[in-house]
Amino acid sequence: MTLNLYNSLTNRLEHFAPQDPDTVTFYTCGPTVYDDAHIGNFRSFLAADLLRRWLESPLCTLVNAKNDQSGPRKVVHVMNITDVGHMTEDSTADGAGQDKMELAKQRILESKKSGKLPTDSQIDPTDPIAIARFYEQRFREDARMLGLKVAIEAENDPTLMPRATDNIAGMKTVIADLLERGYAYTAGQPGSRAVYFDVLKFNAYGQLSGNTIDALQSGAGGRVDDSQQQEKHHQSDFLLWKEDPSHTMKWDAPDHPSCQGWDQGYPGWHIECTAMALDRLVDGGLDAAAKKHAAIDLHSGGEDNIFPHHECEIAQSCCFTSNDRFANHWFHPRFLMVEGEKMSKSKGTMHTVRELVAKGIDPAAIRLELIKTHYRANADFSMQGLKDSERMVKRWRESRYEIARRAYALVGTDFRITFRLLHKEIAAYMNDDLNIAGMIGSINSTIRHILDKPFDEQRVENFDNSAIDNYWSTRPVAGNRIAHGHDGNVNLSPDNHLPDLFEFIEPVLGLLSLKHLDAAVTDIALYQPGVTPSDEIESLLTSRRQAKEAKDFAAADSIRDQLSEMGLSIMDKPGGKVEVAPKN
């Protein structure tokens, strides 16, 4: 079975067929770095990461003109960093309200006055670049913590996560070309002039979102005022460049006769992805993209990106390349709910990754909770779901060791046959539009089946877990297997085979290789992840122990209350230690 993947452009399941079956080009709309990304953002990013990982898997088969082709294959995955041009009211093609970087400036100024800046921040609120770099770094840290491959790879290849502000020249190249060929025009008075894309020149406008030109409403307020709306050829025409010398972030106008004599300004939001996707994913960059009538294989983003952002991307990109497609396949994960409701800052349900980790939640559990619901269903993120995901990850970690320990000691069982059957099941599920729930079900069923088998306890006792740890942390690719000698010692040789259940599974799920949080132990306490031992806590726990020994239970309870006010919960454990955990 080959990969069938829902295409938002055609609204149907289709065989995913890249232009080059050995190399897939994939672009993902990334974060606007004016604040910390929340779990709703990461749901979309991780769905794209799961797809990318599956495309790379040896178990994934793609349709080919000559014959179906199994992996592994290369995926060149690019995710942009938006640090200019994205507006607060982006539901219309023009965008309206404030540039989000301007909003961040105001928010940080207010936080600085009230003393509510993040404890690890030294931000100059008057410098939008400093703001962007601060939140960009935090995003990259969160993304790597959750195993987002593009963020991990970008540490060595920064071109995989390009910044909008580093690609202004490319945007201006595209804008100048669209002006030259009549797909764009200028309007407005000196000091506030703009370049617009002429949607009437692109007959397929609306093909992705289903919005017809006649049904679209104009933007209101913000950077496009009523007089400019009247000067537009059509109310749905969208902004490519805005002249605004008062704007905090600004550059010289595009190099075109229509823009001669203009003051400085800044790009619209939509143009950045066209410039960065084509420049990075087409051999030869933007010039080659235009000459080759180029397209990319795959484009993803949250469903809120469908209109206007992706609709506008398609229009300007197709006109630039003279191709009727910008991306051949569009992938749009749906929204994330929290506890059955829309995320809300006021209700405290717009969680960030670092907030959850600070509470002691395993990053692998966060990742699993965000990917375990099918990407085309509205997922419901909940604290109970997180606990369930934590238990599942823990069970898988333990099972991986246990299965490796038992593999050569089981009676009458060849694990390789069991694993091959599992791989076939996984391939069938994941090639069916990324049926992640089916994959998880097959894994759990296989684990139960294996662990129910009888085994030789004496031989298993001598199994060396440290060699397994070293193998999993250092092997370069899936395919080599753990091996064992007749003496029971583990050898790391591809010529012998002690099968690893997760050998082809972990590269797809990206869970067990994530760094997990460990408890810290002191003489008096067991500190759970999310709590850092401190002299203050240790002193309070010592005073509480002394109060209990003196049978002064009122004093002991008072100290418990004091720790609770500090956001901590405590539990007395056998042996005399106290477990200290974040209070939920």
Side-chain angles (χ1 to χ4, degrees):
M1 179 180 180
T2 58
L3 174 60
N4 275 330
L5 188 68
Y6 189 84
N7 189 348
S8 303
L9 185 66
T10 59
N11 293 314
R12 64 172 181 260
L13 283 171
E14 294 180 359
H15 292 299
F16 180 70
Q19 299 162 95
D20 177 356
D22 293 318
T23 304
V24 177
T25 52
F26 187 2
Y27 185 85
T28 292
C29 280
T32 302
V33 286
Y34 76 111
D35 202 348
D36 286 328
H38 54 68
I39 54 173
N41 304 133
F42 272 106
R43 199 248 169 155
S44 176
F45 300 147
L46 290 175
D49 184 68
L50 179 68
L51 171 57
R52 178 255 175 92
R53 287 169 175 268
W54 179 244
L55 287 168
E56 292 175 331
S57 172
L59 304 178
C60 176
T61 303
L62 301 183
V63 67
N64 191 320
K66 295 181 180 179
N67 55 279
D68 294 346
Q69 183 177 22
S70 297
R73 61 187 57 83
K74 181 179 181 181
V75 177
V76 183
H77 190 191
V78 174
M79 172 188 279
N80 66 296
I81 299 291
T82 297
D83 52 2
V84 67
H86 190 171
M87 307 301 281
T88 55
E89 299 173 31
D90 57 13
S91 60
T92 60
D94 271 328
Q98 294 175 277
D99 186 297
K100 287 190 173 183
M101 297 310 300
E102 287 285 327
L103 181 66
K105 171 184 173 181
Q106 294 178 13
R107 187 184 68 250
I108 292 171
L109 279 170
E110 292 170 1
S111 297
K112 191 172 184 179
K113 289 179 181 178
S114 62
K116 295 180 180 178
L117 276 177
T119 56
D120 58 346
S121 64
Q122 294 292 331
I123 313 174
D124 178 0
T126 65
D127 183 354
I129 293 296
I131 295 170
R133 296 299 166 263
F134 173 75
Y135 285 113
E136 176 189 344
Q137 182 59 33
R138 288 165 70 91
F139 171 78
R140 289 174 183 268
E141 291 169 359
D142 291 350
R144 292 194 297 266
M145 194 185 307
L146 294 186
L148 199 67
K149 286 194 75 173
V150 66
I152 296 169
E153 292 175 340
E155 289 189 88
N156 294 320
D157 183 359
T159 67
L160 295 174
M161 291 186 75
R163 297 169 179 147
T165 52
D166 291 338
N167 287 270
I168 301 296
M171 298 178 214
K172 292 195 287 187
T173 295
V174 177
I175 293 170
D177 180 85
L178 295 175
L179 283 166
E180 184 66 23
R181 297 165 63 193
Y183 292 115
Y185 62 92
T186 61
Q189 300 302 310
S192 62
R193 289 169 287 199
V195 180
Y196 294 106
F197 182 87
D198 192 339
V199 296
L200 293 176
K201 298 290 181 66
F202 184 64
N203 294 331
Y205 192 78
Q207 62 180 318
L208 180 69
S209 64
N211 290 321
T212 62
I213 290 177
D214 292 339
L216 295 174
Q217 299 298 314
S218 61
R223 57 183 171 184
V224 180
D225 59 29
D226 291 340
S227 64
Q228 288 174 313
Q229 291 290 353
Q230 294 169 8
E231 293 173 340
K232 290 163 63 174
H233 294 178
H234 189 278
Q235 62 182 15
S236 302
D237 294 348
F238 57 89
L239 189 74
L240 298 175
W241 187 270
K242 173 70 173 174
E243 181 188 32
D244 184 359
S246 67
H247 198 264
T248 306
M249 304 172 78
K250 51 186 176 288
W251 296 264
D252 292 339
D255 185 14
H256 188 270
S258 299
C259 302
Q260 282 187 354
W262 282 29
D263 214 325
Q264 291 185 314
Y266 60 96
W269 172 32
H270 315 303
I271 193 66
E272 68 176 68
C273 290
T274 289
M276 287 189 278
L278 293 175
D279 189 56
R280 181 59 180 81
L281 293 175
V282 176
D283 288 340
L286 285 174
D287 289 340
K291 293 173 183 176
K292 293 178 180 178
H293 310 299
I296 63 175
D297 293 318
L298 182 61
H299 196 311
S300 76
E303 65 174 334
D304 55 324
N305 288 149
I306 292 175
F307 187 85
H309 186 45
H310 289 166
E311 195 72 76
C312 296
E313 274 189 61
I314 290 172
Q316 64 202 14
S317 302
C318 289
C319 291
F320 177 70
T321 61
S322 301
N323 193 333
D324 61 358
R325 292 281 180 98
F326 169 38
N328 292 318
H329 218 105
W330 288 82
F331 179 81
H332 289 104
R334 298 203 66 187
F335 289 121
L336 179 74
M337 310 291 282
V338 177
E339 305 288 355
E341 297 182 356
K342 187 176 179 180
M343 283 190 295
S344 167
K345 264 192 174 180
S346 62
K347 293 182 179 179
T349 57
M350 194 169 283
H351 306 296
T352 67
V353 173
R354 57 188 53 233
E355 287 171 354
L356 294 172
V357 171
K359 293 179 179 179
I361 298 171
D362 191 334
I366 300 171
R367 179 181 172 96
L368 179 58
E369 182 66 11
L370 290 173
I371 67 172
K372 71 182 183 184
T373 300
H374 192 266
Y375 75 93
R376 284 199 293 123
N378 281 331
D380 187 16
F381 187 94
S382 68
M383 290 302 147
Q384 182 58 51
L386 264 182
K387 291 178 182 178
D388 294 340
S389 292
E390 278 190 304
R391 283 193 290 269
M392 189 177 296
V393 169
K394 182 180 179 182
R395 185 164 64 248
W396 285 355
R397 286 188 180 122
E398 293 171 349
S399 298
R400 192 180 196 187
Y401 278 113
E402 187 62 20
I403 291 170
R405 291 172 66 240
R406 293 184 181 195
Y408 64 97
L410 290 177
V411 178
T413 299
D414 186 338
F415 272 25
R416 286 166 291 182
I417 295 174
T418 303
F419 292 169
R420 281 197 291 270
L421 291 174
L422 173 62
H423 295 159
K424 287 182 179 179
E425 289 182 6
I426 287 173
Y429 281 122
M430 292 298 284
N431 283 329
D432 181 18
D433 200 27
L434 303 187
N435 184 347
I436 183 69
M439 178 183 186
I440 291 172
S442 288
I443 294 169
N444 288 331
S445 177
T446 300
I447 289 172
R448 287 193 297 269
H449 171 73
I450 293 173
L451 296 186
D452 282 345
K453 297 290 185 180
F455 63 97
D456 185 335
E457 290 276 9
Q458 186 173 2
R459 293 191 66 193
V460 168
E461 285 179 2
N462 298 323
F463 197 87
D464 184 1
N465 280 355
S466 64
I468 300 300
D469 284 332
N470 182 64
Y471 170 73
W472 285 333
S473 66
T474 59
R475 68 176 178 174
V477 292
N480 288 348
R481 299 247 171 87
I482 302 168
H484 68 89
H486 295 295
D487 58 358
N489 294 322
V490 176
N491 304 310
L492 307 182
S493 167
D495 300 322
N496 301 308
H497 300 290
L498 178 61
D500 172 11
L501 172 69
F502 285 92
E503 179 176 9
F504 294 102
I505 297 171
E506 168 55 22
V508 177
L509 291 176
L511 294 166
L512 304 186
S513 56
L514 294 183
K515 181 179 180 181
H516 59 284
L517 307 177
D518 296 316
V521 181
T522 65
D523 290 340
I524 195 170
L526 178 68
Y527 291 89
Q528 291 301 314
V531 182
T532 302
S534 70
D535 292 342
E536 181 183 10
I537 298 172
E538 291 279 294
S539 176
L540 287 170
L541 292 176
T542 300
S543 297
R544 178 175 175 269
R545 173 184 285 177
Q546 292 170 348
K548 290 181 69 175
E549 290 173 350
K551 301 191 182 302
D552 188 350
F553 298 113
D557 289 344
S558 176
I559 294 171
R560 177 187 290 271
D561 292 342
Q562 189 175 345
L563 289 165
S564 179
E565 290 174 1
M566 295 167 61
L568 304 172
S569 65
I570 60 172
M571 179 183 297
D572 294 313
K573 306 295 288 185
K577 289 189 185 295
V578 181
E579 181 182 86
V580 185
K583 187 172 69 173
N584 293 328

